[in-house]
Amino acid sequence: MNLTATALAQQPADGVAGWAADLVDTMGGPGAGLAIALENLFPPLPSEVILPLTGFAAGQGVLSLASALFWTTLGSVVGAVALYWIGALFGRERMHALWGKLPLVKASDLVRTEEWFAKHGTKAVFLGRMVPIFRSLISVPAGVERMPLPLFVTLTTLGSLIWNSVLVMAGYWLGDRWDVVETYVGLLSKIVLVLVVVAVAAYVAVRVRSRGRTGRRRAS
């Protein structure tokens, strides 16, 4: 059964759904894995579209459910490992040099962040795989901090398998209403993004106020 024609009834032909449907139609499970690997490297590609669509394809017999889960999880791990190595190649020295050039930040802030990651990094990598936006970004600091690669791969695999299973199974059971998943996960992504923006704005406001007080003390 050709998935593309059915899927494109739900999504524009030039949209992500059409692109992902073409990959799955042409390559089967490996196509779904490739789409998710690219989604990890380019977060604007939404997993909330690709994964439910892959589940829908499994429900239509385009590929097996086991193949859908295996290849999408493998794609997640491949994309995450690529980002891990980008972080590892960038390294702590470059990170500190770049951090030192940024306004409103102090070296001690980065040191505290590193200490936090050393203490909570395993939970951050595992749980971060199930949080929109952060599921890709968390791989970079893991590489910068040189988390042992076998541990990173294990945590990424487990976290990705849970996230992928939920979205793939949702698409599998919802059938031609698979795009409902995009609505709810997309809303979650927006909430996460708003929280991040608010946190950054609060951090900047505190830093500006702190520098203002320091400047007044020096002037007096």
Side-chain angles (χ1 to χ4, degrees):
M1 177 177 180
N2 186 283
L3 170 67
T4 306
T6 308
L8 292 186
Q10 309 291 327
Q11 194 79 5
D14 57 351
V16 173
W19 168 76
D22 286 338
L23 277 178
V24 175
D25 261 345
T26 304
M27 302 172 63
L34 175 60
I36 287 298
L38 293 174
E39 177 266 331
N40 275 262
L41 293 170
F42 305 102
L45 291 175
S47 63
E48 63 266 27
V49 170
I50 299 169
L51 290 170
L53 179 58
T54 301
F56 173 52
Q60 300 301 306
V62 177
L63 72 169
S64 69
L65 187 57
S67 177
L69 294 174
F70 171 79
W71 284 105
T72 55
T73 300
L74 180 61
S76 295
V77 173
V78 169
V81 169
L83 289 173
Y84 172 95
W85 282 114
I86 289 173
L89 291 172
F90 190 77
R92 292 183 72 253
E93 290 185 7
R94 288 198 186 107
M95 179 63 74
H96 276 271
L98 176 63
W99 190 266
K101 296 177 183 178
L102 296 176
L104 303 176
V105 298
K106 297 188 294 187
S108 59
D109 294 331
L110 182 55
V111 171
R112 281 196 296 269
T113 301
E114 291 173 335
E115 291 172 348
W116 181 91
F117 194 88
K119 187 175 181 180
H120 303 287
T122 53
K123 289 181 285 188
V125 170
F126 174 68
L127 296 175
R129 296 302 304 174
M130 293 174 267
V131 179
I133 300 173
F134 288 102
R135 61 190 309 271
S136 293
L137 299 180
I138 193 62
S139 302
V140 177
V144 171
E145 295 301 318
R146 290 300 182 105
M147 172 181 281
L149 187 58
L151 176 61
F152 173 78
V153 170
T154 299
L155 294 169
T156 298
T157 300
L158 292 175
S160 298
L161 180 59
I162 293 172
W163 174 262
N164 292 358
S165 295
V166 170
L167 270 64
V168 168
M169 292 302 299
Y172 182 84
W173 289 111
L174 285 169
D176 59 7
R177 295 179 60 246
W178 62 268
D179 56 326
V180 171
V181 181
E182 178 188 1
T183 301
Y184 289 101
V185 179
L187 177 61
L188 177 60
S189 298
K190 290 174 183 175
I191 291 172
V192 170
L193 185 58
V194 168
L195 291 175
V196 170
V197 170
V198 170
V200 170
Y203 175 83
V204 170
V206 169
R207 280 285 177 238
V208 170
R209 193 174 304 164
S210 175
R211 287 198 172 191
R213 284 197 296 263
T214 303
R216 284 195 295 271
R217 287 196 202 101
R218 287 175 180 172
S220 61

